Amino acid sequence: MLKSKKGVFDLACGIKFSPNLLGYPRVTVIAGKKVSKSAVVRNLQKRQFRGAIEELYSRLTAVDLILLLGKSAVAMDYPAKVSLLTKNLTKAGVLTKTPTNTGVPMTVKTK
């Protein structure tokens, strides 16, 4: 999926996506050592972006998402991360205005 040409990129977070046939979205968050040498900082960023996705999860279409975190994500506060994801997911066309997948458990994996 990383070779997919569909994506929206920002300095803080790149989003690669591909539609799936499962009927619900799947999300993974990747924070490499370029984000920070400290595993504590990388894990904090992944947890915060997972929380932001959790807020938007009911509005996502059936899609597989990969969030590729960048170095500038470390300096952002949580509300800025939520608004950044909202803007980028809307730009990608995978975020609807009304909840679509209520009652579906959220599946988020991290690497």
Side-chain angles (χ1 to χ4, degrees):
M1 189 166 106
L2 283 174
K3 292 184 180 180
S4 167
K5 296 191 188 244
K6 294 181 182 178
V8 176
F9 295 94
D10 195 314
L11 289 175
C13 178
I15 301 172
K16 297 287 279 185
F17 63 95
S18 175
N20 70 31
L21 301 174
L22 299 173
Y24 59 90
R26 295 185 299 179
V27 182
T28 188
V29 182
I30 299 174
K33 285 195 177 179
K34 285 185 179 181
V35 173
S36 175
K37 297 283 185 200
S38 170
V40 174
V41 173
R42 291 194 310 269
N43 288 335
L44 173 67
Q45 296 307 309
K46 290 191 281 190
R47 280 194 307 273
Q48 288 181 343
F49 273 93
R50 279 196 308 266
I53 283 290
E54 199 169 329
E55 289 184 26
L56 303 170
Y57 188 78
S58 64
R59 295 174 47 202
L60 288 172
T61 60
V63 68
D64 293 332
L65 290 173
I66 297 178
L67 301 180
L68 304 163
L69 303 186
K71 201 178 251 189
S72 60
V74 176
M76 297 173 70
D77 60 344
Y78 184 75
K81 290 176 185 175
V82 174
S83 66
L84 173 79
L85 276 179
T86 304
K87 180 185 79 162
N88 287 344
L89 290 171
T90 304
K91 184 177 177 182
V94 297
L95 194 66
T96 62
K97 293 185 185 218
T98 58
T100 56
N101 52 12
T102 56
V104 177
M106 187 172 120
T107 57
V108 176
K109 295 184 179 180
T110 58
K111 267 194 162 179

